[in-house]
Amino acid sequence: MEPRNRSLQALVICLVVLSGASSGSAARAADSWSTPFPGVSRLHRVTSTQNINVLVVDLCAAGVEMRATASSEKGRTVSSFGALTGVHAAVNGDFFASGYTPESLAMHAGSLWGTADDQWRGQLAFGSGRAELVEHWAVSPPEAWMREIVSGYPTILHGGAIIDHSGNSDCTTRHPRTFVGLSPNKRTLYVAVADGRTTTRIGLTCAEEAQLMLELGAHWALNFDGGGSTTMWLSGTGVINFPSDGSQRVVANHLGIFARGVGAAANCTDTLPRGSLDGVDCTSIRGWTQDADTPTVSNRVHIYVGGPFGTPGAAGYSLLADQPRSDLCSVLGSCNHAFSVRPPRSRMDGVERAVHAYGINTGGGVNAELANSPRTLLCAPPEPPLSPEEGDRRRVPSSEAFAAWAFDARDIAPVGDAVVGQYPDGPELSASPLLVRADGDQTLYVVEHRVRRRLSGASAMTAWKLDDAAVETRAVAEVDALLAGVPWPEEPFLVQGTGPDIYLIDAAPPLRAELVSFDLPEQLSRGEAREVTLVLRNRGSLPWEPGRLALAPSGPRDAESALCDAATWPSCTRTATLATTVAPGQEATFLFVVRAPEVGDAATACFALVLDGSFWSGDPGQGGPADDGLCRTVELTSGGGIADGDDVAEGDDVAGGDDVAGGDDVAGGDDVAGGDDVAGGDDVAAGDDVAGGDDVASGDDVASGDDVADDGVGPKPGGAGCGCEAQPGEAAGALLYALLAMAWLGLRRRWQGRRG
C-alpha cells in the first residue's frame, strides 16, 4: 500500500556498506549453521563486536506452524511462553505499554487483542496457507484470513528495497534488535536477534538489520521490540542469546514456532494461481491456468456452470489443465497449461447461465478465480449425433450399469419425450464395458454380443472415461472371430424423457432387417411350386454384401426348410443370396421358389438373415428378424390339383375333384366337369366338353367338337373310350394327330424345365 503520511514515506536507498562492527564479509567467515528442528535452520554469526542468531524457517516444511500470544498468555518471559505453549522456538514480540498491552494489533487463533492499528505499526500475520508482512504505514483492520498476528515498528525492507530511516534516532542508534523477514514467495520466514549494549556485542541499526535480511534472501522485513526485550529461546536448549538486562525480560507478547516434522504446513504461502477463462460457447469452455510455485507442473481447474463455487445446483467440473498451447510457452515458460471441456449437456436447455473458473493451488493453499471469469453460457438442446433412421436408443439397464460406464448425470441431454420417442429400441447396453485388444496389436475394441467395435484412440478413451488398465488381451484368432461392427462412438450421448429410463443414442445393430413385403400364399396344392418375393429393408449398421449375407431357414437354424425347392435353392438350409450390395436404409428383394410337400395338411417355414455363416439376425444384440419372427404357415390342398408341367389356359374351369395328370393340356375354353378323369398324355381339344363322371382313358383323343356325355349310354363309335374298330381313314387321322400332340408336349416340357 501507499504510505498514509508523507513524513513516514520510506525512501529506497542503495546497498548499505556495513561497518566492521556489523555483518560484513569478514563477519560471515565466523558463521555456523545447524538444524535444531525439522524445517528450521539456525545461523549463528559471531564477530569481535557482534553476536547474531537467525532462524530460517521453511513455512512449507511438514509440521511447521506459527503461534502468537493469546490475551490470557501476556506478561511472560519468552522461555515461559515456550514452555506453556509447547512451541519449539520463540522470540519476543511487539513494543508494549503498562499492563503488558501491545502497542498495536495482537491475535491468536483469530481472537484479536492489543491496541488499534495506526500509521506507526506494521504486522506479521499468518493464516491458513498464508503469511504476510503488512507495512507499518498501511492502516487497516485485520483481514478475515488472519489467525496469528504480532506487530512491530518500523518496516525496514519493502519489496526488496531498504527503507531509509536516517532521520529516526531509534533506527540510527545501535541497539539489541529482534526483527523478522519474509522471502519473495513468502514461504520462508527469517527470525533474527542481535545482542547489544556491550563492547563485544554492540547491536545493529535499522539499516544494518535490513542489509542482513537482504543477504539472507528476505524481500520484506519488520523490526520488533528490542533492547532488553530481545530474547531467542529454543526448546531443549533454552535461551541462546545474551539479553542485555542480564536475564530475560517479561514481555507482552511473543512469536512461537512449531516444527513437528510431521503434519500439515499450516502457513505455507503459495502464490495464487493465475490464468484466464478465454471463452465459453456451446462447443467448449476453454482457457489456461498456472501455479507459479510449480510453474512447469500442470495444475487443475475447477469449473462451475450455473454460479460461483458453492451455488446449489451448479454443475461443477475438475480437470487437469495439461493441454499444450504454443502461445503460452514464451509467456509462462511452459506450454502445457491449457484446458478445454464441452459444456454439460444437461445445462443446454435454452437458459442463460454464468460460468466460473478457478485455478487450483498445487500446494493446497488458496485457489484463485481466473481472469475473465465469469462468462455466460446459453445453448439450445443439442441435436443427437444420429437420426432415428440411423440410430437406436439403448436403455441403460440399471444404476449399477450407469456407474460401471462412468456416466455423468450432468451429460444427459434434455431433448424431451418427442425426440426420445422417435428412436427405435435397440439392444440394452451391457452392464459394464468390455475392452479387448488382440495379442500384438494396439487397436482397442469395445465388445458386446460377439461384435467388436473399434475405439478411435485416446480421445475416445478419455470421453468415455475408460481405463487402459482394464483392457483384456486375447488371442488374434479369438478377436478375428468376432463380427467387426461400426466404430464405437467418439463420446457418449445420453438422453432422457420425463420417465426414469436413460438411453444411449448409438448406431443400429450390425444385422437388422425390416419386413417390407412377402407374397407367400396362404394355400398351396401338394407338390406345387410357386415363385415368391420377399422384400427386406436393411435397418442395420452394416451393408449386406454378396457372398456374405444369405436368407436362410431359421426354424430351427441350419435345418432343411419344409418349403425347400431343391432345384432352385443353393441348399435346403440356404434359401437365397444377394447379387448386389445393399447399403443401410436400402431394400433387398429376394426372389425364390417354394415347393409344397407332397403330404400333410400344412407346412410352416421361418426365415432369417445369416452373415458369414455364423451371425444371425436373431442373435442377442442383433436387430432381427428373430428365428421365429418371419414365419409363414401354408395350407396344403389336393382338390383340382394341377401337377408339375401342366398348363391350364386362361378361362378354363377345372372342377373340384377332377385330376389332370402330368403333361396333359387343357385348352382355353374347355370344361372338365367335376368327377371326370383325364388320364396322363391325353389331349382335350379346344371347345370340347368332358361331362361329369366320364373317363377319358390314357392315350385317347377327344377331338374338337366332340362331347363325352354322362348319359348312361355306351361310347359313340370312334369316340373316347370306344372299344370297337375305327374306320381306316379315321385311324390314320387319329395316329397323325397323336404324333403331333406328343411332339408339342415335348417342346412344352423342355421350356417349362428351363423356366423352373
Side-chain angles (χ1 to χ4, degrees):
M1 291 184 169
E2 292 296 325
R4 298 294 183 93
N5 189 315
R6 289 286 180 179
S7 64
L8 297 175
Q9 204 169 29
L11 300 176
V12 179
I13 62 173
C14 296
L15 183 66
V16 176
V17 180
L18 299 179
S19 68
S22 66
S23 55
S25 58
R28 284 195 293 273
D31 290 351
S32 63
W33 288 89
S34 61
T35 306
F37 311 107
V40 178
S41 299
R42 176 192 173 190
L43 165 65
H44 188 198
R45 175 171 293 176
V46 179
T47 72
S48 59
T49 57
Q50 294 290 356
N51 187 65
I52 299 172
N53 283 277
V54 181
L55 298 180
V56 180
V57 183
D58 181 358
L59 293 175
C60 296
V64 170
E65 183 178 4
M66 304 309 296
R67 170 69 152 84
T69 306
S71 176
S72 61
E73 299 164 348
K74 68 178 182 178
R76 292 176 177 274
T77 63
V78 173
S79 60
S80 173
F81 170 78
L84 175 69
T85 59
V87 296
H88 293 84
V91 294
N92 62 291
D94 194 5
F95 298 89
F96 57 94
S98 60
Y100 298 106
T101 300
E103 292 187 353
S104 188
L105 302 177
M107 179 184 287
H108 167 61
S111 180
L112 183 67
W113 63 290
T115 306
D117 187 27
D118 58 27
Q119 61 187 8
W120 300 98
R121 301 291 187 266
Q123 289 82 40
L124 178 62
F126 300 93
S128 178
R130 197 166 177 181
E132 296 285 350
L133 200 155
V134 182
E135 58 271 23
H136 70 258
W137 55 81
V139 181
S140 62
E143 297 182 28
W145 63 267
M146 296 178 178
R147 307 295 294 170
E148 311 287 328
I149 297 177
V150 178
S151 297
Y153 170 80
T155 303
I156 56 176
L157 191 64
H158 182 70
I162 296 174
I163 305 301
D164 182 10
H165 293 292
S166 58
N168 183 343
S169 61
D170 288 338
C171 276
T172 56
T173 303
R174 290 191 175 94
H175 290 290
R177 301 282 185 181
T178 302
F179 50 107
V180 293
L182 281 174
S183 64
N185 63 7
K186 302 175 184 177
R187 303 177 75 174
T188 303
L189 173 70
Y190 306 94
V191 182
V193 294
D195 293 330
R197 295 178 180 168
T198 71
T199 56
T200 57
R201 299 183 291 275
I202 62 175
L204 297 176
T205 65
C206 290
E208 290 168 344
E209 288 179 287
Q211 180 60 42
L212 178 59
M213 284 285 116
L214 272 180
E215 176 193 329
L216 294 170
H219 209 58
W220 294 271
L222 177 68
N223 182 68
F224 278 179
D225 184 18
S229 298
T230 291
T231 307
M232 180 176 285
W233 170 89
L234 300 182
S235 175
T237 302
V239 176
I240 61 172
N241 71 313
F242 298 95
S244 62
D245 289 350
S247 62
Q248 296 181 71
R249 180 182 291 181
V250 174
V251 296
N253 64 338
H254 320 78
L255 176 65
I257 303 166
F258 285 108
R260 304 180 182 95
V262 294
N267 312 118
C268 177
T269 299
D270 291 334
T271 304
L272 292 180
R274 56 179 175 168
S276 171
L277 180 59
D278 291 337
V280 170
D281 55 36
C282 299
T283 61
S284 68
I285 299 171
R286 55 198 178 274
W288 64 273
T289 180
Q290 182 195 44
D291 188 339
D293 292 322
T294 53
T296 61
V297 176
S298 298
N299 61 312
R300 301 191 74 82
V301 60
H302 288 181
I303 298 170
Y304 297 90
V305 180
F309 167 71
T311 301
Y317 289 89
S318 174
L319 61 149
L320 190 64
D322 62 350
Q323 298 175 6
R325 221 172 81 181
S326 59
D327 62 313
L328 299 177
C329 300
S330 59
V331 177
L332 304 181
S334 180
C335 305
N336 297 343
H337 298 284
F339 63 86
S340 179
V341 64
R342 175 181 46 75
R345 291 197 180 105
S346 62
R347 301 307 192 263
M348 295 182 181
D349 54 3
V351 177
E352 186 176 287
R353 289 181 170 86
V355 178
H356 294 255
Y358 301 84
I360 303 305
N361 198 312
T362 57
V366 178
N367 301 325
E369 186 160 11
L370 304 183
N372 304 311
S373 173
R375 290 182 179 268
T376 299
L377 177 70
L378 176 60
C379 298
E383 292 290 333
L386 298 170
S387 70
E389 290 72 30
E390 299 169 318
D392 290 349
R393 61 179 194 183
R394 302 183 62 189
R395 192 175 76 90
V396 180
S398 64
S399 58
E400 291 78 11
F402 191 91
W405 282 92
F407 289 149
D408 191 331
R410 296 169 299 187
D411 285 333
I412 300 175
V415 296
D417 288 337
V419 173
V420 174
Q422 293 176 5
Y423 285 83
D425 286 317
E428 274 193 347
L429 189 66
S430 300
S432 61
L434 173 59
L435 301 178
V436 168
R437 69 160 53 97
D439 190 16
D441 187 357
Q442 294 304 307
T443 305
L444 292 178
Y445 299 98
V446 176
V447 176
E448 292 184 292
H449 307 297
R450 294 202 304 146
V451 177
R452 55 182 166 94
R453 299 173 63 185
R454 180 177 53 82
L455 271 166
S456 61
S459 61
M461 289 284 287
T462 300
W464 283 88
K465 303 185 178 87
L466 298 174
D467 185 1
D468 192 66
V471 177
E472 298 182 14
T473 300
R474 298 188 177 180
V476 173
E478 183 180 353
V479 175
D480 287 345
L482 301 170
L483 177 61
V486 296
W488 191 251
E490 281 291 321
E491 61 178 351
F493 193 95
L494 301 173
V495 298
Q496 185 178 26
T498 55
D501 287 334
I502 299 170
Y503 300 95
L504 172 70
I505 300 299
D506 193 9
L511 190 56
R512 179 167 67 188
E514 176 184 79
L515 178 63
V516 177
S517 63
F518 191 14
D519 64 358
L520 180 66
E522 296 180 357
Q523 189 179 79
L524 288 172
S525 297
R526 295 182 184 87
E528 181 183 356
R530 180 72 62 88
E531 186 177 70
V532 297
T533 303
L534 172 61
V535 181
L536 299 175
R537 179 176 290 109
N538 183 353
R539 283 300 315 274
S541 55
L542 293 181
W544 298 347
E545 298 175 341
R548 295 190 64 195
L549 184 128
L551 181 70
S554 59
R557 297 178 182 179
D558 292 322
E560 293 189 355
S561 172
L563 296 180
C564 172
D565 181 55
T568 59
W569 288 22
S571 74
C572 284
T573 62
R574 293 293 183 267
T575 307
T577 58
L578 292 171
T580 60
T581 298
V582 179
Q586 294 182 344
E587 294 180 0
T589 300
F590 294 93
L591 295 173
F592 56 97
V593 174
V594 295
R595 180 177 295 278
E598 298 286 352
V599 295
D601 297 324
T604 298
C606 299
F607 300 94
L609 296 178
V610 60
L611 182 65
D612 296 336
S614 60
F615 302 100
W616 290 76
S617 58
D619 285 343
Q622 302 295 353
D627 288 359
D628 59 355
L630 187 54
C631 296
R632 294 291 186 272
T633 298
V634 177
E635 181 185 355
L636 303 179
T637 64
S638 59
I642 302 173
D644 182 34
D646 295 329
D647 297 321
V648 180
E650 182 177 356
D652 295 334
D653 298 318
V654 181
D658 296 329
D659 298 318
V660 181
D664 296 327
D665 299 320
V666 181
D670 295 331
D671 299 318
V672 181
D676 295 329
D677 298 320
V678 181
D682 296 328
D683 298 319
V684 182
D688 295 331
D689 298 316
V690 182
D694 295 329
D695 296 321
V696 182
S698 176
D700 296 330
D701 300 316
V702 181
S704 176
D706 294 330
D707 296 319
V708 182
D710 185 13
D711 50 12
V713 181
K716 298 178 182 179
C722 178
C724 58
E725 290 187 10
Q727 297 299 317
E730 293 174 346
L735 178 59
L736 178 59
Y737 186 88
L739 291 172
L740 291 172
M742 290 174 65
W744 172 244
L745 284 172
L747 290 172
R748 288 179 63 85
R749 284 178 179 169
R750 283 188 205 162
W751 177 78
Q752 288 171 342
R754 284 196 216 88
R755 187 178 61 177

